[in-house]
Amino acid sequence: MAKPLRRMLLVTSLGLVALLTVGGAAALAHGGGGGGGKGRGGGGQKGGAISTSLVTEAAKQLGVTSAVLRTAIDNAAKAEIDEAVTDGEIEADEAADLKERVDDSLKYAYSLSRASKVAANAGKTTAQLNAAFKTARKAAIVTKIDEAVEDGELEADEAADLKAELEDAALPGYKPSRFGFGWGFGFGR
């Protein structure tokens, strides 16, 4: 395949991955993908907004274990469910089912959680949490670029160019902004 075509396909693919990550997170944050209470995150299993590897890398950046960060996310999601019960948005029996779902699904827990609560649960500031997730997202993209070089889909100079462009990219923190499309305008949720 010609060098310019390979680069265009890789850039397009990386852009699509970034868009799906941000778009999926936005959909989850706005209730896409499944039931889960009136007016709350409600998200579902779809969207690819978060992964165990992303949580692991973000935890490393925060200086905590992935188990600590996962527990912080789960507890933040459960707090949202408790607030929904208190506000009369859902019944207690539905809350119990939703909490079980939180225990079973990182993506669901993430969709309900708020960055400020996750950060507090992990003993960190929201700014620290967002910075850790930005760094983790950047590391995931760099890994994809490096894999493309190893697979012969990208030349080393092209990879260097993409990595340089990545330095200027406005990646989302814990979650993309609720306004716009999450391209550097928010502080998580």
Side-chain angles (χ1 to χ4, degrees):
M1 185 181 309
K3 185 176 177 180
L5 181 58
R6 268 197 325 248
R7 183 168 194 252
M8 182 187 72
L9 289 174
L10 183 65
V11 169
T12 302
S13 297
L14 289 173
L16 183 58
V17 167
L19 181 62
L20 290 175
T21 298
V22 172
L28 288 171
H30 294 291
K38 306 166 198 151
R40 302 258 176 198
Q45 306 282 339
K46 300 175 186 172
I50 191 127
S51 67
T52 303
S53 61
L54 186 65
V55 169
T56 299
E57 180 61 28
K60 183 172 108 179
Q61 296 297 321
L62 288 168
V64 300
T65 66
S66 58
V68 166
L69 185 53
R70 172 63 198 259
T71 299
I73 293 169
D74 288 355
N75 289 342
K78 290 175 182 177
E80 287 295 307
I81 293 168
D82 290 340
E83 284 183 31
V85 171
T86 300
D87 293 346
E89 295 177 356
I90 61 173
E91 299 295 323
D93 59 335
E94 185 180 0
D97 291 342
L98 294 175
K99 287 180 180 182
E100 282 183 34
R101 191 168 173 195
V102 163
D103 291 335
D104 293 340
S105 171
L106 173 61
K107 288 180 183 179
Y108 189 70
Y110 172 80
S111 74
L112 294 179
S113 65
R114 290 181 181 260
S116 59
K117 288 183 182 178
V118 172
N121 291 345
K124 303 295 177 180
T125 66
T126 303
Q128 289 171 318
L129 181 73
N130 283 321
F133 271 87
K134 284 179 184 182
T135 300
R137 290 178 200 285
K138 186 178 284 187
I141 294 170
V142 168
T143 298
K144 293 286 184 190
I145 293 170
D146 291 343
E147 288 172 356
V149 171
E150 287 175 20
D151 294 343
E153 298 170 1
L154 191 64
E155 299 294 324
D157 60 329
E158 295 169 319
D161 290 344
L162 289 173
K163 288 177 183 179
E165 290 175 27
L166 182 59
E167 290 302 314
D168 295 329
L171 299 174
Y174 180 68
K175 287 188 177 179
S177 170
R178 296 192 66 148
F179 303 102
F181 292 100
W183 296 108
F185 295 107
F187 302 100
R189 203 178 124 206

